[in-house]
Amino acid sequence: MTPSLSQFRRVVLKVGSALLVDRARGRLNHAWLAALAEDIADLHAKGADVLVVSSGAIAMGRTVLGLPSGPLRLEESQAAAAVGQIALARTWSEVLAHHGITAGQILVTLADTEQRRRYLNARATTLKLLEMRAVPVINENDTVATSEIRYGDNDRLAARVATMIGADLLVLFSDIDGLYTAPPASDPNAEHIPVVERITPAIEAMAGGAASELSRGGMRTKVEAGKIATSGGTHMIIADGRTKNPLKRVTEGGRCTWFITPSNPATARKTWIAGALEPRGTLVVDEGAVRALQGGASLLPVGVRRIEGSFHRGDAVTIRSEARVLGRGLVAYDAEDAARIIGRPSREIEGILGYPGRTEMVHRDDMALSD
């Protein structure tokens, strides 16, 4: 049995350039985007958090600037992105505002999802927008990214974003309705695969190359995105985005490929914190904090008695009482600042540090406690 879209509480939608931009006319597919906005509004109205990873900045910018078809030099791509990002952000803002939804633009680079310090900043900003019922629209910051420090495709970026914010579903809209045993355009005997329960070497071997000039990814990058998503506890769908209301089509049983994960985002994240990161220091907490943590609370500065070691914001630290190790977490402060606010109420943080830091020393979502 495949899942139902109605059961997911946080959904990331990835929209590619080839869907957003009419290549022949060099303009935005307004009618298609308006229909997708209807789908997003319907999902949003049912209480789900929705986030969009949108390609299209370079494709839109090259049209405005009159750049020729074919590969662009790095500086041309960056110039096109600079122009296109403004147009893309305005477009998403307008189509979502039609349904009473606020859009927020977030531009990220590879480092923002790979370096823990910047990862925490990007995650906190995105989660705050979702908390305020806005729809974040994310794109790779092509104006500053170079070939050495970029994702290069928004499939993998969408998967990283989905796991970063604890999404339980990622939908990759494409120009194909899922994964086939071989590229269907060249093999008439290719068979559609409705469900992938585990990404094996055989599944990876079925992926082909890039689909069009406007897109950097193909089925290969989508399968790689599936590996990232499912390992982070996020289900993934590859669906045909070319029809109007493509999300509604999936909801009504339209053909697609589901990549199933046996985990969930919270469990996968806590497993990663507990086992994959080397602690850089220790937070020793009092008995009041022990009780609060066992009750599911975050670790506040007031509950920390002392710190040990040298660490930076975003590093993993051990959390323990005087008697035993309680678990691990990602700390919200550098060791020097943490030492200045331990034992103090969160309302005093700004006065002590001179800036309004995080309320929590370690947020409960960034913590994995021992049984």
Side-chain angles (χ1 to χ4, degrees):
M1 293 288 293
T2 57
S4 167
L5 277 181
S6 62
Q7 72 188 67
F8 296 102
R9 62 176 183 82
R10 182 167 291 165
V11 181
V12 174
L13 307 177
K14 181 266 178 180
V15 180
S17 298
L19 296 173
L20 272 173
V21 179
D22 185 329
R23 179 181 174 188
R25 296 187 298 169
R27 65 179 66 174
L28 194 72
N29 285 322
H30 285 284
W32 178 88
L33 185 56
L36 177 61
E38 291 176 1
D39 290 350
I40 293 173
D42 183 60
L43 195 61
H44 193 265
K46 293 175 180 175
D49 293 335
V50 185
L51 183 148
V52 176
V53 175
S54 176
S55 303
I58 292 177
M60 293 177 71
R62 72 186 296 164
T63 298
V64 174
L65 294 173
L67 293 169
S69 60
L72 298 177
R73 296 192 298 272
L74 175 61
E75 61 272 19
E76 291 175 330
S77 293
Q78 292 175 327
V83 172
Q85 282 168 358
I86 295 175
L88 189 64
R90 182 177 65 248
T91 296
W92 278 109
S93 178
E94 289 173 352
V95 298
L96 292 173
H98 182 72
H99 300 277
I101 299 173
T102 300
Q105 183 189 43
I106 302 177
L107 299 176
V108 300
T109 63
L110 179 66
D112 293 321
T113 57
E114 298 300 313
Q115 296 178 11
R116 284 197 296 277
R117 188 185 187 96
R118 294 169 68 171
Y119 167 100
L120 288 179
N121 285 331
R123 184 172 186 268
T125 300
T126 306
L127 292 178
K128 178 54 69 174
L129 284 170
L130 293 174
E131 179 186 320
M132 300 174 75
R133 300 301 291 154
V135 170
V137 179
I138 293 182
N139 194 6
E140 184 161 17
N141 193 351
D142 291 304
T143 60
V144 298
T146 65
S147 57
E148 293 80 16
I149 55 170
R150 64 177 300 123
Y151 278 100
D153 69 88
N154 274 354
D155 294 326
R156 286 176 291 189
L157 172 60
R160 287 292 188 200
V161 167
T163 58
M164 179 180 75
I165 65 166
D168 41 16
L169 178 64
L170 166 64
V171 181
L172 301 183
F173 286 124
S174 182
D175 56 2
I176 191 170
D177 56 7
L179 178 66
Y180 284 75
T181 54
S186 58
D187 187 346
N189 296 317
E191 297 180 4
H192 181 266
I193 301 174
V195 179
V196 175
E197 295 185 352
R198 188 167 65 90
I199 299 176
T200 63
I203 293 294
E204 293 183 82
M206 296 174 188
S212 73
E213 175 188 294
L214 289 181
S215 67
R216 299 194 189 98
M219 192 55 67
R220 178 179 54 81
T221 64
K222 289 172 175 55
V223 170
E224 290 176 2
K227 293 171 67 175
I228 295 169
T230 54
S231 66
T234 301
H235 293 288
M236 191 183 88
I237 298 174
I238 299 175
D240 192 340
R242 293 172 295 181
T243 60
K244 286 188 66 176
N245 301 100
L247 194 60
K248 181 180 179 181
R249 180 178 177 274
V250 172
T251 303
E252 295 175 345
R255 188 156 75 168
C256 61
T257 297
W258 284 85
F259 289 75
I260 304 297
T261 176
S263 183
N264 63 65
T267 300
R269 179 172 174 79
K270 290 182 183 295
T271 299
W272 171 66
I273 292 172
L277 301 176
E278 185 68 26
R280 301 294 183 182
T282 299
L283 305 178
V284 182
V285 303
D286 61 26
E287 289 304 312
V290 172
R291 291 190 294 273
L293 294 178
Q294 291 173 339
S298 299
L299 176 60
L300 304 180
V302 70
V304 182
R305 300 183 61 176
R306 68 176 185 276
I307 67 170
E308 299 172 356
S310 178
F311 50 81
H312 297 288
R313 180 171 185 262
D315 282 344
V317 293
T318 298
I319 302 171
R320 69 176 179 85
S321 66
E322 296 291 356
R324 63 187 179 92
V325 173
L326 302 172
R328 293 182 183 180
L330 304 183
V331 67
Y333 291 93
D334 293 345
E336 181 179 341
D337 283 350
R340 295 171 63 191
I341 61 174
I342 59 173
R344 306 294 289 272
S346 296
R347 64 178 180 274
E348 297 180 7
I349 291 174
E350 184 172 5
I352 296 171
L353 299 182
Y355 65 90
R358 308 291 181 192
T359 301
E360 308 86 1
M361 185 75 78
V362 180
H363 193 278
R364 64 179 181 271
D365 291 343
D366 297 326
M367 188 186 309
L369 298 181
S370 306
D371 294 333

